[in-house]
Amino acid sequence: MGQRLTQIATRTGDNGTTGLGDNTRVSKNSLRVHAMGDVDELNSNLGVLLCEAMPDSVRTLLVEIQHQLFNLGGELSIPGFELLKPEAVLALDGALAEHNEALPRLQEFILPAGTRAASLAHVCRTVARRAERAVVALEGQEALKDTPRQYLNRLSDLMFVLARVLNRHRTDGTPGDDVYWKSEKLAQASAD
């Protein structure tokens, strides 16, 4: 790995480049830097989500995901290096199965809304999708392992499921539910 920063304002990026973990310099507009930035933004949004009330199991899961996203960012910052392991994808698969099993079947599309925690989970979902697109774009130019793309794809699915879980976790004891899209199909079914 490259040197750890001992100072933050190095001024080495003033010319529009940034240093990668292998000590090479690339444009701050490179696909690799875009992917790193989207993963960093996702991790930061997870940090905001963690400020909300939630079940302990969800909190523990999100903290672990933050660590894995840091691994992913490190992997992206060092071309050819592997930090994110395939087992991390399997862990997301397990969490998806566990949390999805406890939820009722969807009746219709849902809006990214509800509680503040659920809404923040939806923001994380959309940023995960953007990060996934950035990794796919980078793969079009450079060889990458499959794990980063798979992890982000699975994570966006998990964030959708966790948003539904968080809409049901109310600290005031009132029952919670998804916020359904008011579609013609749903309106007709209610009228029948």
Side-chain angles (χ1 to χ4, degrees):
M1 276 191 70
Q3 295 178 347
R4 300 208 186 263
L5 290 177
T6 55
Q7 65 184 47
I8 300 303
T10 63
R11 295 177 177 75
T12 56
D14 287 352
N15 66 354
T17 65
T18 192
L20 297 179
D22 64 358
N23 292 321
T24 61
R25 296 203 65 81
V26 297
S27 168
K28 289 185 178 185
N29 195 33
S30 75
L31 291 177
R32 183 171 294 277
V33 174
H34 278 282
M36 290 166 38
D38 288 344
V39 168
D40 187 32
E41 182 181 347
L42 172 57
N43 211 342
S44 297
N45 276 291
L46 283 171
V48 175
L49 173 56
L50 283 163
C51 294
E52 299 296 317
M54 65 185 64
D56 289 340
S57 62
V58 173
R59 182 173 305 285
T60 300
L61 175 61
L62 292 177
V63 169
E64 175 58 24
I65 288 168
Q66 280 198 302
H67 286 279
Q68 295 300 336
L69 287 174
F70 209 80
N71 286 339
L72 174 53
E75 183 169 327
L76 290 170
S77 76
I78 307 171
F81 198 67
E82 179 184 19
L83 278 173
L84 185 66
K85 305 296 183 197
E87 295 79 23
V89 177
L90 295 176
L92 292 184
D93 283 333
L96 260 166
E98 173 190 340
H99 289 286
N100 204 32
E101 185 178 324
L103 293 169
R105 290 183 59 117
L106 284 172
Q107 301 170 22
E108 185 56 85
F109 289 108
I110 63 172
L111 298 179
T115 66
R116 180 175 163 82
S119 298
L120 289 169
H122 279 295
V123 170
C124 292
R125 172 185 58 81
T126 63
V127 177
R129 285 287 183 217
R130 180 164 25 94
E132 180 188 6
R133 291 190 301 271
V135 166
V136 169
L138 179 58
E139 281 180 315
Q141 288 190 348
E142 301 180 36
L144 294 178
K145 306 261 187 228
D146 291 336
T147 306
R149 175 182 15 85
Q150 293 169 348
Y151 190 84
L152 291 167
N153 182 47
R154 212 72 89 251
L155 180 55
S156 62
D157 292 341
L158 178 61
M159 294 312 301
F160 177 86
V161 169
L162 291 180
R164 296 189 68 212
V165 168
L166 292 169
N167 260 337
R168 285 160 178 76
H169 177 77
R170 304 282 178 121
T171 55
D172 65 1
T174 61
D177 197 4
D178 300 304
V179 179
Y180 285 96
W181 169 50
K182 293 181 182 175
S183 71
E184 289 181 28
K185 176 184 169 189
L186 194 58
Q188 183 62 37
S190 297
D192 291 342

